[in-house]
């Protein structure tokens, strides 16, 4: 017999509450990240990459670069969907908390340049140019700072594009000293403004990030960031324009080398030759090779056959004495005569040395 024990009323109430309660809500991890979080995350990754002492091509550093690019690209898509900015509005109409989203193209350009891949360097540089130029155009439309948009080669045909002093100095075939001095002074001013902005931002950053700053301080903080990145973008575009020319020239040289190598392989072999100074030298030295053959084997055989000196022809016909035989006999006689004279001279020298000691007649040294 099974014994059933009654539960206390408190236990029965707890069970009823558990049965009537709704199912647990899904974890907060499934929620999509917010726009502000994406921007802050990508921005911090850029600062970490710039302040890192690791090699630029190291794996961990490149992983942070890729992660930062993914977060900033997602933030850019979200900002575009929300339509935070419009060309019809003024700078005062933008909320202070939304000013930071104007930095997205500049941050993307800076992180794009941190990628290390020699085969795709030209692609990365051109993409960074687009980001920086887009950022400067937005800042120009809102009159955040006074500057001139650089005229890029790809955008030279656009109507209304203004040519800056930087571009005119770099692309002009004959830049004058006044333009060069103005260009140098502009770079010095941008550098000074950038350092002043960084000094002010360092003192305001903790206040803004902690949430204790008022709206006016927040607005000033992000406007300083925008002006700082304007100067950075102008300098980057100037150097990137020169790098694009170098990279394109290198690619052209590589293609030319490959094409010339293919043509060299298809070209038939050439016969060696030597250039002579003039016609007289060509007549004297011929082609210039000391061991160059002057006749073929057949020509040599025909010539010696006519002279009758071939081995199968025996003694020359008609009792004629070959001139070469006479020359050999004459040479032998001369050698024998020379040998006799040398022997007599050696004997006379030996006799003289027997009668005269070494140094005889050397009155200068009194030997």
């Amino acid at each position: 017999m099974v014994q059933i024990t009654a539960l206390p009323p408190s236990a029965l109430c707890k069970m009823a509450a558990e049965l009537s309660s709704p199912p647990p809500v899904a974890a907060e991890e499934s929620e999509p990240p917010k726009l502000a979080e994406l921007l802050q995350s990508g921005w911090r990754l850029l600062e970490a990459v710039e302040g890192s002492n690791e090699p630029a091509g190291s794996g961990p550093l490149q992983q942070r670069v890729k992660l930062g690019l993914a977060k900033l690209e997602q933030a850019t898509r979200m900002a575009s969907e929300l339509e935070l900015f419009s060309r019809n509005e003024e700078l005062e109409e933008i909320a202070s908390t939304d000013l930071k989203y104007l930095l997205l193209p500049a941050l993307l350009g800076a992180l794009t340049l941190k990628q290390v891949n020699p085969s795709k360097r030209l692609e990365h540089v051109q993409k960074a140019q687009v980001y920086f130029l887009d950022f400067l155009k937005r800042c120009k439309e809102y009159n955040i700072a006074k500057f001139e948009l650089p005229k890029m080669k790809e955008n030279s045909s656009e109507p209304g594009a203004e040519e800056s002093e930087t571009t005119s100095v770099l692309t002009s075939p004959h830049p004058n000293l006044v333009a060069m001095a103005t260009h140098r002074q502009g770079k010095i001013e941008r550098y000074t403004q950038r350092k002043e902005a960084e000094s002010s931002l360092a003192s305001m950053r903790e206040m803004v990030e902690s949430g204790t700053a008022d709206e006016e301080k927040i607005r000033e903080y992000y406007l300083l960031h925008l002006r700082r990145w304007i100067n950075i973008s102008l300098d980057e575009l100037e150097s990137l324009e020169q790098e694009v020319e170098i990279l394109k020239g290198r690619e052209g040289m590589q293609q030319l080398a490959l094409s010339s190598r293919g043509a060299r392989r298809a070209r038939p072999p050439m016969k060696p030759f030597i250039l002579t100074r003039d016609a007289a030298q060509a007549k004297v030295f011929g082609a210039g090779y000391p061991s160059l053959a002057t006749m073929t084997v057949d020509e040599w055989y025909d010539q010696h056959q006519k002279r009758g000196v071939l081995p199968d022809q025996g003694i020359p016909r008609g009792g004629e004495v070959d001139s070469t035989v006479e020359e050999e006999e004459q040479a032998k006689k001369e050698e024998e005569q020379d040998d006799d004279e040398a022997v007599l001279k050696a004997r006379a020298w030996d006799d003289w040395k027997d009668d005269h000691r070494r140094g005889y007649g050397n009155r200068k040294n009194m030997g």
Side-chain angles (χ1 to χ4, degrees):
M1 182 175 181
V2 180
Q3 185 177 1
I4 301 176
T5 58
L7 293 173
S10 59
L12 292 173
C13 293
K14 185 177 180 180
M15 291 177 61
E18 291 178 353
L19 292 172
S20 61
S21 61
V25 182
E28 296 182 356
E29 295 179 357
S30 60
E31 296 181 1
K34 297 180 180 179
L35 177 58
E37 294 174 354
L38 289 172
L39 172 63
Q40 193 69 18
S41 227
W43 199 347
R44 287 180 178 175
L45 284 169
L46 172 61
E47 292 177 347
V49 170
E50 290 179 341
S52 175
N53 293 327
E54 300 179 25
S58 64
L61 192 68
Q62 288 300 307
Q63 287 294 330
R64 289 195 287 270
V65 171
K66 291 180 180 178
L67 181 60
L69 284 172
K71 289 183 177 295
L72 292 177
E73 288 172 356
Q74 186 178 356
T76 302
R77 287 192 293 269
M78 291 180 65
S80 178
E81 292 173 359
L82 294 173
E83 297 181 354
L84 296 177
F85 308 106
S86 174
R87 294 183 177 180
N88 299 326
E89 62 183 357
E90 299 294 335
L91 180 62
E92 291 75 12
E93 300 176 19
I94 302 177
S96 300
T97 54
D98 292 344
L99 284 173
K100 56 188 175 183
Y101 300 118
L102 286 172
L103 291 167
L104 281 169
L107 300 178
L108 275 168
L111 262 180
T112 301
L113 292 177
K114 299 298 180 183
Q115 298 179 97
V116 177
N117 190 345
S119 61
K120 294 184 178 181
R121 180 59 184 175
L122 181 59
E123 177 185 347
H124 294 159
V125 170
Q126 291 176 335
K127 187 181 293 186
Q129 282 181 311
V130 174
Y131 284 137
F132 285 128
L133 195 60
D134 180 70
F135 168 72
L136 290 175
K137 286 181 179 179
R138 290 177 182 271
C139 294
K140 186 73 172 177
E141 290 171 356
Y142 286 112
N143 294 321
I144 295 175
K146 292 183 179 180
F147 64 94
E148 294 183 0
L149 282 174
K151 183 180 178 183
M152 311 302 293
K153 289 185 177 180
E154 292 79 6
N155 304 319
S156 58
S157 60
E158 291 185 1
E162 300 178 1
E163 183 177 1
S164 66
E165 294 177 357
T166 300
T167 307
S168 62
V169 171
L170 293 177
T171 58
S172 176
H174 302 289
N176 54 37
L177 296 178
V178 176
M180 293 176 66
T182 305
H183 169 61
R184 181 176 180 275
Q185 185 64 28
K187 292 191 69 174
I188 294 174
E189 290 178 0
R190 288 199 300 269
Y191 179 79
T192 305
Q193 293 173 2
R194 176 179 170 182
K195 288 302 179 183
E196 291 176 355
E198 289 176 354
S199 177
S200 302
L201 288 170
S203 60
M204 299 172 62
R205 180 170 184 172
E206 184 177 356
M207 186 186 304
V208 173
E209 291 184 352
S210 62
T212 59
D214 56 5
E215 183 179 356
E216 184 178 353
K217 286 290 183 183
I218 294 174
R219 193 174 190 85
E220 181 183 358
Y221 178 74
Y222 288 120
L223 285 175
L224 281 174
H225 269 299
L226 288 170
R227 295 188 180 103
R228 172 179 175 268
W229 276 100
I230 286 173
N231 293 327
I232 293 175
S233 300
L234 290 172
D235 291 338
E236 288 290 349
L237 283 174
E238 181 180 338
S239 60
L240 291 178
E241 185 69 16
Q242 299 177 18
E243 187 175 356
V244 166
E245 294 180 2
I246 294 172
L247 292 172
K248 287 184 177 180
R250 184 184 303 171
E251 285 188 354
M253 292 178 64
Q254 290 177 354
Q255 293 177 359
L256 181 61
L258 291 175
S259 60
S260 62
R261 190 179 304 170
R264 196 181 304 120
R265 290 176 181 174
R267 185 184 303 169
M270 297 177 61
K271 296 181 179 181
F273 65 93
I274 291 181
L275 298 176
T276 54
R277 293 180 182 273
D278 49 25
Q281 185 180 2
K283 291 180 181 179
V284 174
F285 296 103
Y289 296 95
S291 59
L292 187 65
T294 58
M295 65 180 69
T296 63
V297 176
D298 294 336
E299 292 174 351
W300 178 88
Y301 186 84
D302 293 339
Q303 182 180 357
H304 283 65
Q305 187 180 21
K306 292 177 181 178
R307 295 169 57 186
V309 293
L310 293 176
D312 57 350
Q313 290 180 313
I315 301 174
R317 295 185 299 271
E320 298 178 355
V321 180
D322 190 16
S323 59
T324 55
V325 178
E326 295 179 355
E327 291 176 359
E328 291 178 0
E329 293 178 356
Q330 184 67 23
K332 289 180 180 180
K333 292 179 180 179
E334 292 177 357
E335 289 178 1
E336 292 176 357
Q337 186 177 358
D338 291 341
D339 292 341
D340 295 339
E341 292 179 357
V343 171
L344 294 174
K345 187 176 180 180
R347 289 176 181 175
W349 176 246
D350 291 337
D351 295 339
W352 190 86
K353 287 196 297 182
D354 294 339
D355 299 335
H356 302 81
R357 62 187 181 89
R358 184 180 180 82
Y360 175 81
N362 188 5
R363 304 183 64 183
K364 182 179 179 182
N365 296 328
M366 300 301 289

